[in-house]
Amino acid sequence: MAAEPTTQDTDPDRMREEAVEAALGKLGLDAKAKLLGGQDMWSLPALPEIGLRSLVMSDGPVGVRGVRWTADDPSIALPSPTALAATWDPELARRAGRLLAQEARRKDVHVLLAPTVNLHRSPLGGRHFECYSEDPYLTGAIGSGYVKGVQDGGVGTTVKHFVANDAETDRFTVDNIITSRPLRELYLAPFEAIVKNAHPWGIMAAYNQVNGVTMTEHRYLQNEVLRGEWGFDGYIVSDWMAARSTTGDIEGGLDVAMPGPTTVYGDALAGAVRAGKVDEAVVDDAVRNVLRLAARVGILEGAPPVVTELPETVDGQALAREVASRAFVLVRNENHTLPIDPSQTRKLALIGAAARDARVLGGGSATVFPERVVAPLDGLAAALSDATLTYAVGADPSDELSPAAKGFALHAVCRDATGAVIGSRSLPGGQVQWIGDDLPDGVTYGTLHSVEVKGTFTPRESGEHAFGTRGLGAFTLTVAGEVLYDGVQAMSDASDPFEAFFGAPAERGRVHLTAGEPVEVSLVHPVGATDDAPLPAVMFSFLHGAPQRDADELIAEAVEAARDADTAVVVVATTERVESEGFDRTDLSLPGRQDDLVRAVAAANPNTVVIVNSGSPVEMPWREDVAAVLLSWFPGQEGGAALADVLLGVAEPGGRLPTTWPVALADVPVTEVVPTDGELHYREGLFVGYRAWDKAGVAPAYAFGHGLGYTTWEYESLEVTPATAKVRVRNTGHRTGREVVQVYLAPLADSVERPVRWLAGFASVEVGAGEWAEAEIALPPRAFEIWDERSDSWSFVPGVYEVRTGRSIADTRLTATLDLQG
């Protein structure tokens, strides 16, 4: 076991505070105001006069991208945050955090912009995959583990998005109307738990408003609650472009406005102080918070960093593989279809476009570029003989063009107005996304006139390949010497603001190509003037679509492969156009003909296993017709290897559902994510997730906490006190297994409005066949409290509580009564 990292005690804390005060005392107003605004996309300015180096931030939910959009410095890609929560293991989350700190230090990054601890209020939320759970307690526990792990490695965290950024529609402006009880008991609760249990060094203020006040300016929530009540002493940074008011933001508690170089702080803040609109003492408080962060991460001269001895080095690929297998949730396994015994398997048919080209991570700010990606086909091919494994596409979830990826070797060439090359950079795919100073070496916006994406494409299939563009402005697209497009894409009037600004994917032409024969490709894009842009950027994409075959023919081929196999494994998936940052979903359907594919394969082979490669719930109308269903989430770069481990019994699927999976969208109790007249009312109050399902009296497809393994468990005893629940469980199966012991509270004859039951605690045990273990699970005092809206304080609710323990919220094995009459 890795040694605990050495952290500093109260004496170094005092030394850091003294260094902060000494540095602050040397700064004039202009330097202080400058420090609070980004100097570019990802960093704060250095102030050499006080020995302060530039503080560097990076997106980091599943990996550390760093400050450049490039694959030249690849990143480990862990499974999605929802997958991490599905492990129900805060210590595993801590190990993941230590790995990410290791990656951050390698890339000279001081602060990760993670974790995301907003709730799964509705399955339609577009960023669902980047959040942990529908339950605030589970979210707080996993988030605390993650934060501890990252900060064990001396790297800061930024817990986001504070608060109630639970949907994407109109996220920049929406006013979320939430009464104080649900705000406190649900949406603030994970932040509070993490602040108190893990002591994060940063919080990110969200875009949205809460009850009429923009979050970056929310004095009550940021200053009174976060800092005053909870004792948070880190820095508060805006979400990117969220800070909109110099006086409102600084007086509302926002320390740092990002990104730069143009922000509401800097000269504007110094001017507001000189004009008497802002007290300089308020600016000093914000500067203290930034300098304290700098001291903690070791970039302020004279201040000892918090961590002086780093944790042991983590094997990134091995941990990514372990987290993935521990996150997979086996929701159905009829007749012990899984695990598959390779020695008894003559032929296994692997089916689905996502089996070959897996979606391993979500889009948006969660994007990283791993050194390798193991798809299901890769993982199973490495574990089985060529004679055993067959593959068929079956159905493609997308009929749209997507950024060039498999088979492409691309780089970007930058030229000035004379046509001279002034710089170049390799590309991770067909997408160019250079924001702020993230330009190839030697290139500036002043000299950049055009960008050419060029290289080769080696097709995997023969046939008619489609090529296209996404972006605004002029494009010249050439494939195999043929100019397919030479024109201009104007801004559209699309209702989706992202699509209006960045352009929709557009097919520009088709070329018949032969599998295995490389061709030259080129996309030239003149770059318009960026002088007036608050944040200059070059953003466009070179798109590709593989030859489209008849859908019925593809399904027929898959059926034939399944009929000839002992077991058929079908991988179904969502796409980036279905779930990603920036928009909410409108339904829970799998895209394309994937449902038809599963039905057809299941009819041909009773041993059909379906792998669901999505970040959030989808409808599975065929779930009762197949032998097994395994949820793989977005499983990270080692997902295919982990899948082979689980399917073939090398590893047990360790996951439990962190969120309820519905039968159909029509059954979901909370679906409203679109504001009306700028407001989104959280009318459901306390009743989200399983709390809402209980109130509605509707059974979901799979309940919160559900997940099967490869062994069986007997719950032998339950002993409770007001502070703990002791649960003894025995592994009654034939192999070592892991069990997540869950404890729920259910008030009897309740005196106040509360959910029917709620998660109070959990623990994992792992024992061999026939062995037993006892889990001692703390029952936190908060589990018995509500937020009293009359007194604006937490209030204990006396009464009789039934303590329930079991394998999910719907699978109670033992109960005990706890009489807390006050």
Side-chain angles (χ1 to χ4, degrees):
M1 180 177 291
E4 287 292 311
T6 301
T7 57
Q8 304 299 331
D9 58 20
T10 55
D11 186 61
D13 286 342
R14 177 181 55 77
M15 293 173 64
R16 279 189 291 274
E17 288 303 310
E18 289 175 351
V20 166
E21 291 302 321
L24 177 62
K26 297 176 184 177
L27 294 177
L29 174 61
D30 290 315
K32 289 187 284 191
K34 175 184 177 183
L35 179 60
L36 302 182
Q39 69 174 350
D40 53 29
M41 185 67 178
W42 300 111
S43 69
L44 297 182
L47 296 178
E49 63 268 32
I50 59 170
L52 175 67
R53 305 204 307 271
S54 175
L55 182 87
V56 179
M57 297 164 257
S58 172
D59 284 323
V62 300
V64 184
R65 188 170 62 246
V67 299
R68 295 190 177 276
W69 188 269
T70 174
D72 289 346
D73 186 11
S75 311
I76 290 289
L78 291 171
S80 64
T82 301
L84 185 62
T87 69
W88 287 59
D89 190 342
E91 281 306 309
L92 186 59
R94 188 169 188 171
R95 290 169 56 205
R98 289 182 177 182
L99 169 62
L100 295 179
Q102 176 180 298
E103 286 277 283
R105 295 179 76 94
R106 181 174 65 80
K107 296 191 175 200
D108 295 322
V109 167
H110 306 115
V111 179
L112 289 188
L113 303 172
T116 302
V117 300
N118 301 114
L119 296 187
H120 294 166
R121 174 177 169 265
S122 167
L124 294 177
R127 223 161 165 179
H128 194 290
F129 65 89
E130 198 180 316
C131 308
Y132 290 130
S133 171
E134 67 189 23
D135 181 78
Y137 181 82
L138 179 58
T139 296
I142 299 297
S144 292
Y146 181 102
V147 167
K148 287 177 182 178
V150 174
Q151 293 182 179
D152 283 346
V155 174
T157 54
T158 310
V159 187
K160 62 185 186 181
H161 308 82
F162 191 74
V163 61
N165 184 180
D166 307 301
E168 293 294 278
T169 305
D170 296 344
R171 63 176 175 166
F172 294 95
T173 57
V174 62
D175 185 6
N176 293 323
I177 309 300
I178 316 170
T179 58
S180 59
R181 257 196 85 186
L183 183 61
R184 289 281 189 159
E185 294 182 25
L186 298 178
Y187 302 102
L188 288 171
F191 290 94
E192 181 182 9
I194 293 168
V195 167
K196 293 183 175 179
N197 297 329
H199 195 59
W201 300 343
I203 296 283
M204 180 184 288
Y207 292 120
N208 53 279
Q209 302 175 58
V210 171
N211 298 331
V213 182
T214 299
M215 274 312 306
T216 59
E217 305 171 33
H218 214 302
R219 188 180 312 190
Y220 170 67
L221 289 177
Q222 295 187 143
N223 287 342
E224 296 183 32
V225 176
L226 177 60
R227 294 197 186 280
E229 291 182 27
W230 302 347
F232 174 69
D233 67 354
Y235 88 133
I236 302 176
V237 61
S238 72
D239 204 341
W240 266 227
M241 306 297 287
R244 285 158 271 192
S245 167
T246 299
T247 57
D249 287 327
I250 194 69
E251 291 179 349
L254 184 75
D255 299 317
V256 171
M258 289 295 290
T262 302
T263 76
V264 296
Y265 288 167
D267 292 343
L269 180 57
V273 173
R274 292 190 173 102
K277 296 178 181 179
V278 173
D279 188 336
E280 189 168 353
V282 177
V283 177
D284 287 348
D285 285 341
V287 173
R288 280 189 186 92
N289 295 328
V290 174
L291 293 176
R292 185 178 299 116
L293 173 63
R296 285 169 168 164
V297 301
I299 61 170
L300 178 63
E301 193 173 287
V306 171
V307 175
T308 57
E309 183 179 336
L310 297 176
E312 292 181 6
T313 300
V314 180
D315 182 329
Q317 289 185 1
L319 184 58
R321 186 170 181 166
E322 179 186 353
V323 173
S325 64
R326 291 278 307 280
F328 292 162
V329 181
L330 183 61
V331 294
R332 179 177 172 85
N333 192 23
E334 295 298 291
N335 302 316
H336 304 291
T337 300
L338 295 180
I340 299 166
D341 184 349
S343 68
Q344 301 297 313
T345 301
R346 177 185 55 84
K347 190 162 289 186
L348 187 151
L350 182 62
I351 297 165
R356 183 176 61 176
D357 300 318
R359 189 174 181 198
V360 300
L361 49 79
S365 58
T367 301
V368 294
F369 306 110
E371 184 175 26
R372 72 171 199 170
V373 171
V374 183
L377 181 57
D378 303 323
L380 284 167
L384 298 172
S385 69
D386 291 343
T388 302
L389 183 66
T390 64
Y391 172 72
V393 173
D396 194 327
S398 177
D399 57 3
E400 291 188 331
L401 305 190
S402 57
K406 291 291 181 71
F408 287 86
L410 301 173
H411 62 282
V413 177
C414 301
R415 294 183 173 87
D416 64 16
T418 70
V421 175
I422 55 176
S424 64
R425 178 187 289 179
S426 66
L427 292 174
Q431 188 174 10
V432 175
Q433 185 168 306
W434 302 336
I435 304 175
D437 290 343
D438 180 16
L439 291 172
D441 292 341
V443 178
T444 66
Y445 288 102
T447 58
L448 181 62
H449 181 264
S450 70
V451 178
E452 180 182 13
V453 174
K454 64 182 301 186
T456 61
F457 171 50
T458 305
R460 293 187 298 191
E461 300 104 359
S462 297
E464 197 171 54
H465 290 253
F467 296 88
T469 63
R470 184 176 190 182
L472 303 180
F475 294 97
T476 303
L477 174 62
T478 306
V479 176
E482 179 185 352
V483 177
L484 301 183
Y485 179 76
D486 187 6
V488 177
Q489 176 65 54
M491 183 179 292
S492 75
D493 57 356
S495 58
D496 182 334
F498 283 85
E499 201 156 281
F501 186 73
F502 297 116
E507 181 178 321
R508 303 302 187 184
R510 299 190 176 199
V511 179
H512 191 280
L513 301 175
T514 302
E517 294 186 6
V519 294
E520 300 284 330
V521 296
S522 166
L523 177 64
V524 178
H525 174 55
V527 177
T530 59
D531 300 341
D532 299 331
L535 185 64
V538 179
M539 300 177 70
F540 67 96
S541 296
F542 177 20
L543 307 180
H544 168 255
Q548 294 293 305
R549 294 180 54 199
D550 180 77
D552 290 330
E553 183 179 305
L554 287 175
I555 291 175
E557 288 180 0
V559 167
E560 192 60 33
R563 187 176 288 120
D564 190 41
D566 300 301
T567 302
V569 176
V570 184
V571 182
V572 296
T574 58
T575 68
E576 197 159 325
R577 293 282 284 174
V578 171
E579 57 172 333
S580 185
E581 180 178 350
F583 60 90
D584 293 313
R585 293 196 285 173
T586 56
D587 60 53
L588 302 182
S589 301
L590 286 168
R593 296 280 303 279
Q594 294 181 102
D595 286 335
D596 293 338
L597 171 66
V598 173
R599 290 190 186 98
V601 169
N605 190 324
N607 292 325
T608 293
V609 177
V610 180
I611 314 300
V612 182
N613 179 196
S614 71
S616 49
V618 295
E619 293 175 353
M620 299 181 289
W622 33 258
R623 71 189 186 285
E624 300 290 344
D625 302 326
V626 299
V629 179
L630 182 72
L631 312 181
S632 70
W633 313 106
F634 295 149
Q637 68 175 61
E638 303 298 316
L643 181 62
D645 290 342
V646 167
L647 291 179
L648 303 179
V650 176
E652 182 183 37
R656 304 293 186 267
L657 285 178
T659 199
T660 306
W661 274 54
V663 174
L665 178 60
D667 299 331
V668 176
V670 180
T671 57
E672 188 178 12
V673 293
V674 177
T676 301
D677 297 327
E679 294 182 345
L680 183 60
H681 290 257
Y682 285 35
R683 294 184 177 88
E684 68 280 354
L686 299 170
F687 300 97
V688 299
Y690 62 80
R691 294 163 167 84
W693 286 91
D694 277 347
K695 183 178 182 181
V698 177
Y702 301 108
F704 177 81
H706 173 65
L708 307 172
Y710 288 159
T711 187
T712 54
W713 296 89
E714 181 180 347
Y715 281 60
E716 295 185 337
S717 65
L718 168 63
E719 299 175 14
V720 299
T721 72
T724 61
K726 289 184 179 179
V727 185
R728 177 166 160 162
V729 296
R730 185 179 299 275
N731 180 349
T732 56
H734 302 290
R735 60 177 286 166
T736 296
R738 176 182 294 271
E739 176 72 332
V740 178
V741 181
Q742 303 166 37
V743 174
Y744 298 86
L745 291 181
L748 304 178
D750 210 355
S751 59
V752 296
E753 183 184 41
R754 282 190 290 183
V756 171
R757 51 194 169 174
W758 56 89
L759 181 68
F762 61 91
S764 295
V765 297
E766 184 174 10
V767 295
E771 298 178 354
W772 63 271
E774 186 173 75
E776 184 167 345
I777 300 167
L779 301 179
R782 182 60 58 79
F784 301 96
E785 297 175 341
I786 66 166
W787 182 258
D788 188 327
E789 295 180 329
R790 292 169 298 180
S791 64
D792 272 343
S793 63
W794 290 101
S795 175
F796 169 73
V797 181
V800 180
Y801 292 83
E802 186 173 74
V803 181
R804 303 173 178 177
T805 186
R807 309 200 70 243
S808 77
I809 196 169
D811 185 1
T812 300
R813 298 300 178 91
L814 295 172
T815 64
T817 300
L818 200 56
D819 191 344
L820 303 176
Q821 294 296 344

